[in-house]
Amino acid sequence: MARSFMQNMGTESHEPWSSILDSMLTGSIRTQSSNSLVTDSAAGATAFACGLKTHNGAIAVDTNGTPCGTILEAAKNAGYATGLVTTSRITHATPASFAAHVVDRDMEDLIAMHMISKNATKHTKVDLMFGGGMCRFLPQSNDNSCRNDDVDVWQAAKDSGVTTLTRRSEFDLLSQTNQSMLPLIGLFAHSHMAYTIDRDSTSQPSLSEMTQTALNLLDDTSDKGFFLMVEGARIDMAGHDNDPAAHVHDIIEYWRTVQKVHQFVHSNPDTLVVSTSDHETGGLALGIDPEYTWHPRVLNQVTKSAEQVCSYLFRTQKQDVTEVIEDHVFPKYLGIDNHTQAELDVVVDALQVKGGDGRHKACKHAIGGIVSKRARVGWSTGGHTGADVGLYAYGNQMHKIKGNMENSHLGTLLMQYLDVSPSQVTKALANTATRQLAFFHSPHHDHD
């Protein structure tokens, strides 16, 4: 979709257009977990991190709940610098699976503590972390906390010598210093960072900016090299919301990120970059029967994500909601100046759904559905699918990253490339606490 969108934004829509990933395609990944043909991000990321299959919801533990050493932890023990960059909460399933070990992905309070912990050599296991999720690092006595206890993880990080950042201005200074700032954690949002379409560039860095800074800092840290995991997390979340406009803009930002990494690898030919996905989300299709067409320019008129539109509607419900939708949401946020009564009704009905989470989800799907229908974009689900996902590689030994393979096999190949083994890490983790006493388990993850 994003490729076709970019092609049709040009003056000659029939001219071919390619993303940076198109030149890197080497194969595909099978995504099933140990207990389901349709994986979640926890099991999917654990396969990449540990090189083994586990059940949905598990964060870097095997099917028995035993911690498995990850490629990041093994790389750190071997002398590599390490980093995690994401646009989700840093404690969310994918980044967590590289640096934490819990039996349930919702144990994010414990995940936060694991992520700032030290390894067997008394070094912080993750040298650099950029993302969102500040609320998981603050004690529940703080108004901005979402923890279930009074542990101040942010202060604990500071006390252990970690440089901490929360403001864009502090982030910008990182490119102006010659001093080593690692270990470093920068969290720029209470929960997930903003969608690209919504992002205020004065308060949050983009994924590509965070990645470029991470590359620069990690490259200067260790003579042996570094391991960096970068996640365009909000692509998945837009898929869950069936929000095509937010989806396409976050994919394009991910391409910008890959372009920066590609340039780094080109200048440092002893480096390998691999790109893939935990899973597919949404069951996206271009073209809705019976028409053989789709209209990408519809997406170009949208200025806000469905998430932001719905948040705005919930804040203004004391007003005449119909008037707000007709006079503000449709023309200013969705670029629609000829809405139908049916489109108005579907949004109003969604706002009447009982329950906060259910109402918000219904609203997002209503907004995304209106844009999708006009663009002729189809979705088969608001969840994940069992489809294979693309595998892309560039750089040193990229010829080994090819063909169709299980996600766990890719994890093993990456460990072999770095010449690291997780076995010693796994032994050292034997007594690691993998259960959080107080937490809310969600049976259905809206963004997983």
Side-chain angles (χ1 to χ4, degrees):
M1 181 173 72
R3 184 196 300 110
S4 184
F5 174 86
M6 291 296 292
Q7 180 180 355
N8 280 271
M9 289 305 103
T11 56
E12 298 290 339
S13 62
H14 63 276
E15 290 294 322
W17 189 93
S18 297
S19 77
I20 184 63
L21 283 179
D22 290 320
S23 67
M24 297 168 54
L25 181 65
T26 61
S28 57
I29 293 290
R30 302 191 290 271
T31 61
Q32 70 182 71
S33 67
S34 67
N35 69 332
S36 177
L37 290 172
V38 181
T39 190
D40 80 330
S41 291
T46 295
F48 297 140
C50 292
L52 57 80
K53 297 277 188 178
T54 193
H55 53 82
N56 287 0
I59 299 289
V61 297
D62 64 20
T63 54
N64 296 315
T66 303
C68 55
T70 72
I71 184 173
L72 181 146
E73 293 168 322
K76 181 63 179 180
N77 284 3
Y80 291 93
T82 56
L84 297 170
V85 175
T86 184
T87 48
S88 72
R89 293 188 300 273
I90 198 70
T91 52
H92 210 234
T94 298
S97 295
F98 288 83
H101 307 271
V102 296
V103 296
D104 190 304
R105 56 179 293 165
D106 289 319
M107 296 177 174
E108 291 190 52
D109 292 356
L110 183 55
I111 289 171
M113 297 171 67
H114 281 196
M115 296 184 89
I116 67 160
S117 66
K118 298 181 183 296
N119 63 9
T121 59
K122 306 304 179 183
H123 292 94
T124 304
K125 69 169 77 171
V126 190
D127 292 305
L128 179 148
M129 288 184 277
F130 288 150
M134 183 66 180
C135 70
R136 287 293 177 183
F137 290 76
L138 300 174
Q140 64 179 350
S141 56
N142 188 301
D143 291 340
N144 293 316
S145 173
C146 56
R147 290 185 66 85
N148 296 291
D149 58 34
D150 281 317
V151 177
D152 191 335
V153 184
W154 197 246
Q155 188 59 50
K158 291 181 179 180
D159 292 344
S160 65
V162 177
T163 302
T164 56
L165 312 175
T166 58
R167 294 190 293 272
R168 171 72 200 240
S169 57
E170 295 172 319
F171 172 83
D172 290 339
L173 290 174
L174 293 174
S175 63
Q176 302 174 25
T177 179
N178 293 322
Q179 297 179 337
S180 174
M181 303 295 289
L182 305 185
L184 165 70
I185 179 170
L187 301 182
F188 307 104
H190 173 77
S191 184
H192 301 309
M193 296 182 72
Y195 282 111
T196 298
I197 198 172
D198 302 322
R199 184 177 69 91
D200 176 359
S201 61
T202 66
S203 63
Q204 291 185 11
S206 66
L207 181 67
S208 58
E209 290 171 329
M210 292 190 293
T211 301
Q212 184 65 70
T213 298
L215 289 171
N216 295 341
L217 293 174
L218 293 172
D219 190 40
D220 291 338
T221 298
S222 172
D223 292 336
K224 185 157 188 176
F226 61 87
F227 171 84
L228 173 64
M229 193 288 295
V230 177
E231 181 194 23
R234 305 232 67 185
I235 298 170
D236 163 68
M237 298 179 190
H240 280 286
D241 291 344
N242 292 178
D243 182 349
H247 195 263
V248 77
H249 285 286
D250 265 72
I251 290 174
I252 292 168
E253 175 57 26
Y254 183 73
W255 287 344
R256 294 190 192 103
T257 303
V258 175
Q259 182 68 58
K260 289 183 179 293
V261 179
H262 191 279
Q263 291 169 351
F264 179 90
V265 175
H266 183 73
S267 300
N268 298 270
D270 58 343
T271 310
L272 172 68
V273 57
V274 174
S275 176
T276 190
S277 308
D278 296 340
H279 47 72
E280 193 276 338
T281 305
L284 176 68
L286 301 184
I288 301 175
D289 186 66
E291 297 179 36
Y292 285 14
T293 185
W294 86 283
H295 307 296
R297 291 184 183 273
V298 170
L299 309 187
N300 200 44
Q301 303 304 312
V302 180
T303 61
K304 291 289 182 184
S305 69
E307 179 180 270
Q308 281 297 301
V309 170
C310 292
S311 294
Y312 169 75
L313 286 172
F314 294 141
R315 292 195 303 269
T316 59
Q317 278 204 52
K318 291 183 179 180
Q319 304 175 31
D320 184 337
V321 69
T322 298
E323 182 178 323
V324 171
I325 296 168
E326 289 185 305
D327 296 346
H328 199 86
V329 169
F330 281 149
K332 294 184 179 180
Y333 288 167
L334 305 185
I336 297 173
D337 58 11
N338 62 341
H339 71 273
T340 66
Q341 185 63 44
E343 289 173 329
L344 177 61
D345 290 345
V346 76
V347 179
V348 173
D349 289 347
L351 295 175
Q352 308 308 313
V353 172
K354 301 296 184 182
D357 289 344
R359 183 166 63 250
H360 203 73
K361 183 174 183 178
C363 177
K364 289 185 292 184
H365 277 252
I367 296 297
I370 290 169
V371 175
S372 295
K373 187 173 182 179
R374 283 175 170 256
R376 313 305 290 170
V377 172
W379 304 87
S380 68
T381 178
H384 300 168
T385 71
D388 289 1
V389 295
L391 174 62
Y392 310 86
Y394 176 68
N396 188 31
Q397 298 185 38
M398 61 176 286
H399 63 278
K400 296 181 179 180
I401 312 296
K402 65 179 182 179
N404 178 267
M405 66 182 74
E406 292 288 347
N407 49 11
S408 53
H409 184 57
L410 177 59
T412 299
L413 288 178
L414 294 176
M415 290 184 195
Q416 291 173 352
Y417 172 78
L418 291 179
D419 192 24
V420 299
S421 170
S423 58
Q424 291 301 315
V425 179
T426 299
K427 291 179 181 178
L429 291 168
N431 296 319
T432 298
T434 59
R435 297 179 182 274
Q436 179 181 317
L437 295 181
F439 76 102
F440 172 74
H441 172 75
S442 173
H444 302 291
H445 291 93
D446 188 26
H447 291 150
D448 57 357

